[in-house]
Amino acid sequence: MAVKKYDYLIVGNSAGGIGCVEGIRREDREGSIAILADEKHHTYSRPLITHLLEGDVDRRGMDYRPRDFYRKHSVEPFLGFKAGSLDLDRRSVRIEGEKGNGSRNLRFDKLLLATGGSPFIPPMEGADLGGVTTMITLDQSLEVKRRLGRVKNAVVLGAGLIGTKTAEALSKVVDRVTVVELADRVLSLVSDETSSRLAADAFRKKGVEILLGNSIMEIRGKGKGKGKGRGKVEEVLLLDGTVIPCDLLVVAVGVRPRTELAEGTDIGVDTTRTGGGFLVEDNMATNIEGVYACGDASHAHDFVTGAHHLLPLWPNAYIGGRIAGLNMAGVPSRHRWATNMNSVDFFGFPMVSAGFLKRPNRKGFTEIIRDEEGKYARLVLKDDVIKGMVMAGNVARAGIYLGLMRNKVKTTSFSEHLLAHDFGAVHLPDEVKEKMKQPIRVIE
């Protein structure tokens, strides 16, 4: 079996992997780099896969970096290859291509695990029917787009970020879209009750049906069998007995970190009970010398809570990868500026959230709220320092609030203006203005 050795081996070709390449190449122009991914595509911007459905972008427009990126950065790509096993004693990864072709061992001095997440599909009868899919890869988006001409009724199971963005895109190209969510509100992980209701209203105004407190018990269709020629989904049966016609079912109930490559090794992985994910330090190093991790498969430091946990966000993946790359190239760096920040727009209705979404029931926490005519804001503070925010309908000042959060500014002297309509730099003390002018060093 062929064996080749690299100074740096990167498993993952998305934001974290690309960030790692650019971090390494900032300091080391000579070291050999290989990048490995089971998807065969040139690196692409994963948040755009739903925009591909509605035609906002074409495939080329999804490129995350120019097509000559690997050549210009002297990176050997292994795209369409699966990482089969990891041997830490020999410091090698065994890979194989489609149908087991091209098997070989890639040895490494330093390794990044940017393996991302894999979608969770709950056990449901009929889940293997044609027209049932998840929506986290380009191939899945391309396949859905290919069959859209035959779809009149689409159902999305799950009302998190992936589910709602998929529903929004489908609503522009499909006659009827229904979102089914087991929780009692949409976007429950990135919103509070009020902003969730406003978001659901935005969907309903555009004709998207939102069914809460419900789920799919059975997927029904014509025909049987798997693979090409298998049966096709025709309807779904919900827990409450409702039957909905369905030509396309997108399952978006959650994503789990992909850590299976570390199975059987000593690499530290969190328990699945608390979400899983590679355990890392602030420099993105695992407990194994020379092995790093980042992105959706890894924990990261949360500057709001001070804890390390999963932060599956595209910017966090890139920054974590870049910091890992700098450390792999010998430049000590730390990732200290992440938090669970989300910025999203549905049918022109914007929402932003970061840090705590509600006031924790702990000493020192307070909150202030403004709620009027579809424009909503909630700030969570601890000892007069902003620790969280939720904004919906008008997010014009989200950047100021995030800057105050990151700089840990005490708001005592201007707290009465925080949610005023005209709140801005004019209300900030001069010393705070100067502090806010300084660029945030997301890499320390």
Side-chain angles (χ1 to χ4, degrees), residues 3-11 32-34 36 85-95 105-113 261 265 267 286 288-292 328:
V3 177
K4 196 167 182 179
K5 184 176 180 181
Y6 298 88
D7 296 310
Y8 310 98
L9 176 60
I10 299 167
V11 184
S32 56
I33 302 177
L36 161 68
S85 61
L86 169 61
D87 187 332
L88 289 176
D89 292 332
R90 296 184 178 181
R91 299 186 79 76
S92 71
V93 174
R94 184 177 181 277
I95 69 170
N105 287 323
L106 303 183
R107 299 192 63 200
F108 59 84
D109 283 334
K110 293 178 181 175
L111 172 70
L112 175 73
L113 299 171
L261 189 58
T265 76
I267 295 175
T286 71
I288 303 297
E289 185 176 357
V291 178
Y292 296 75
M328 292 163 78

Side-chain angles (χ1 to χ4, degrees), residues 52 57-67:
L52 185 68
V57 295
D58 58 17
R59 169 63 190 95
R60 197 85 179 192
M62 294 181 65
D63 286 353
Y64 187 47
R65 290 293 184 271
R67 291 291 169 109

Side-chain angles (χ1 to χ4, degrees), residues 175-248:
D175 290 347
R176 180 187 180 191
V177 177
T178 304
V179 177
V180 181
E181 167 59 51
L182 184 60
D184 61 358
R185 59 190 180 91
V186 303
L187 298 163
S188 59
L189 297 181
V190 298
S191 68
D192 62 5
E193 286 81 355
T194 301
S195 57
S196 171
R197 175 178 52 77
L198 292 170
D201 288 346
F203 276 87
R204 288 173 173 134
K205 286 177 182 175
K206 294 295 182 178
V208 178
E209 189 172 11
I210 305 286
L211 301 179
L212 302 174
N214 216 330
S215 190
I216 293 175
M217 189 168 68
E218 181 182 347
I219 307 165
R220 298 170 174 171
K222 277 186 178 177
K224 295 182 178 179
K226 298 181 178 179
K228 192 174 182 180
R230 62 183 170 167
K232 301 289 192 301
V233 60
E234 289 194 323
E235 62 186 28
V236 293
L237 170 65
L238 305 188
L239 289 175
D240 67 356
T242 302
V243 176
I244 302 174
C246 177
D247 309 304
L248 170 70

Side-chain angles (χ1 to χ4, degrees), residues 338-390:
T339 191
N340 61 333
M341 180 173 176
N342 289 278
S343 176
V344 67
D345 181 291
F346 300 109
F347 304 105
F349 182 81
M351 297 177 66
V352 171
S353 64
F356 289 104
L357 306 181
K358 298 174 68 175
R359 178 174 63 87
N361 188 23
R362 299 203 298 264
K363 184 179 179 182
F365 279 94
T366 58
E367 65 181 12
I368 53 176
I369 294 173
R370 187 185 69 218
D371 184 5
E372 51 189 25
E373 298 178 351
K375 296 179 176 60
Y376 174 77
R378 177 197 292 250
L379 297 179
V380 178
L381 303 99
K382 183 177 188 302
D383 299 328
D384 290 344
V385 175
I386 298 176
K387 292 290 186 179
M389 65 173 171
V390 180

Side-chain angles (χ1 to χ4, degrees), residues 17-39:
I18 298 303
C20 185
V21 170
E22 294 178 344
I24 292 170
R25 283 292 180 245
R26 201 189 82 170
E27 301 298 328
D28 181 357
R29 300 298 306 175
E30 304 298 328
S32 56
I33 302 177
I35 196 164
L36 161 68
D38 50 10
E39 289 188 80

